[in-house]
Amino acid sequence: MMRYKEEKDAKKEAFRKYLESSGAVDALTKVLVALYEQNEKPSSALEFIQQKLGGPTIYEYEKLQAEISDLQTKYNELLCKHEDACKELEELKNMHSSVSPSTKETNDGEPLKDEHVENS
């Protein structure tokens, strides 16, 4: 039982050192002190903390979520159009490759001449 408590304490201490070395403890302390020193406390302490730490406000977050949703919809539409265009291209390639060489034409509309035919 004692060993479990020691392991638990060691994990806590390692986590505390991690928070201190990363600057998280200082940042949180500064924000909480700023909140404490406010003459008029904000209606939402959480929103105050988020704003001070550089996070978006609830309004900004909801706006970003709506933008993500709109962009996902546009992406899905473009993906469908791309897939349709790829299918159409493949069909055109298949149609083009199924045309026999004797019926192919040159760029100017003239039929291709068979070079192997001897002039008589």
Side-chain angles (χ1 to χ4, degrees), residues 96-107:
H96 181 70
S97 65
S98 67
V99 174
S100 65
S102 63
T103 60
K104 288 184 181 176
E105 296 181 349
T106 62
N107 287 342

Side-chain angles (χ1 to χ4, degrees), residues 7-109:
E7 288 177 7
K8 190 175 178 182
D9 288 344
K11 284 183 178 182
K12 282 182 183 179
E13 182 63 21
F15 186 67
R16 186 190 62 76
K17 286 181 180 178
Y18 162 73
L19 292 175
E20 284 181 358
S21 66
S22 67
V25 171
D26 287 338
L28 289 171
T29 300
K30 288 177 185 177
V31 170
L32 292 173
V33 167
L35 178 60
Y36 175 78
E37 292 176 346
Q38 291 288 308
N39 289 333
E40 290 187 33
K41 301 297 183 227
S43 59
S44 172
L46 182 58
E47 195 169 323
F48 177 88
I49 292 169
Q50 287 174 330
Q51 184 181 15
K52 290 295 182 183
L53 289 175
T57 64
I58 292 173
Y59 170 75
E60 292 169 330
Y61 176 79
E62 288 172 352
K63 188 176 173 183
L64 290 171
Q65 286 296 101
E67 186 177 352
I68 287 172
S69 178
D70 290 345
L71 290 172
Q72 185 66 50
T73 300
K74 288 178 184 177
Y75 169 79
N76 291 340
E77 289 171 1
L78 289 172
L79 185 60
C80 285
K81 286 181 182 180
H82 172 72
E83 289 171 351
D84 290 344
C86 286
K87 287 177 187 174
E88 186 177 345
L89 177 62
E90 196 61 38
E91 289 172 5
L92 289 172
K93 283 181 180 179
N94 290 339
M95 283 179 25
H96 181 70
S97 65
S98 67
V99 174
S100 65
S102 63
T103 60
K104 288 184 181 176
E105 296 181 349
T106 62
N107 287 342
D108 60 0

